[in-house]
Amino acid sequence: MNRPLPAVRLRVPTHEDAIAWHRVFDDPEVMEFYGGKPAALSVYEELTARQRRHDAELGFCLWTMLDESGEVIGFTGAQPWRPDWGPVGEMEIGWRLGRAHWGKGYVTAAAHETLRRVRQAGVKEVVAMVRPGNERSIAVTRRLGMRPAETYRHPTLDEDALCFRLTL
């Protein structure tokens, strides 16, 4: 697939983006690998606030992703891995996209911009944690040049989580 990537804009999430993320991700298909059901608005309020702190402290975060028309379509970016299992202490790159925008190259375009920004901030390596079966995200890791690394046993699910790595 060598089609041109779409234009995508990234911005530090605003308080209002919590509402937009809640709306865009209110879809069981989008949430299949994130617990299977839409999260409460309060989850996105906390997440956008944490991302604003990350941007202020680290120079990067999970940014709100906007399409060519300025519509909020998801997020992508990087943040420290938070759980107490997996690649503790490492920088994780991640993304989530509204269902209406799947298959158009938005995540790949935004993730390339994320890599540029975190490299500029001095990050030397990123990881991506992906649940088995999430073929769309695995394909994005390949497009970014990430390589499969270790697996970690998920503490609450009966499966391993896949860790992909990229040296910047």
Side-chain angles (χ1 to χ4, degrees):
M1 176 168 80
N2 289 328
R3 69 174 182 229
L5 294 174
V8 65
R9 191 165 58 92
L10 304 178
R11 72 167 182 226
V12 176
T14 65
H15 178 73
E16 291 77 20
D17 286 341
I19 297 165
W21 290 4
H22 183 256
R23 178 185 42 79
V24 171
F25 303 144
D26 187 20
D27 181 330
E29 282 188 84
V30 170
M31 298 304 290
E32 177 182 1
F33 297 102
Y34 306 99
K37 61 183 180 192
L41 176 59
S42 61
V43 170
Y44 296 110
E45 289 170 335
E46 189 279 329
L47 182 58
T48 55
R50 183 171 4 111
Q51 298 315 310
R52 290 189 293 278
R53 285 191 306 274
H54 285 324
D55 182 69
E57 295 167 5
L58 303 171
F60 55 87
C61 62
L62 293 178
W63 293 287
T64 295
M65 191 184 329
L66 304 132
D67 69 6
E68 300 90 337
S69 70
E71 178 185 352
V72 173
I73 60 173
F75 64 67
T76 190
Q79 64 178 347
W81 176 255
R82 290 185 66 216
D84 59 2
W85 64 276
V88 175
E90 304 215 35
M91 288 299 165
E92 178 197 25
I93 183 173
W95 45 80
R96 191 177 307 165
L97 187 67
R99 174 73 179 94
H101 306 284
W102 288 3
K104 299 176 183 176
Y106 285 110
V107 167
T108 300
H112 277 296
E113 175 62 14
T114 293
L115 292 176
R116 186 190 71 73
R117 291 181 183 192
V118 298
R119 185 180 296 115
Q120 191 173 45
V123 174
K124 303 292 185 216
E125 183 176 68
V126 293
V127 298
M129 294 295 291
V130 181
R131 287 192 49 201
N134 189 343
E135 295 304 323
R136 290 179 180 280
S137 282
I138 292 170
V140 171
T141 66
R142 287 189 192 114
R143 287 186 205 108
L144 296 175
M146 299 185 89
R147 298 286 175 242
E150 53 279 296
T151 60
Y152 295 96
R153 193 72 186 159
H154 194 288
T156 59
L157 304 173
D158 188 24
E159 65 185 23
D160 288 335
L162 309 175
C163 181
F164 295 83
R165 292 184 176 276
L166 179 66
T167 302
L168 300 177

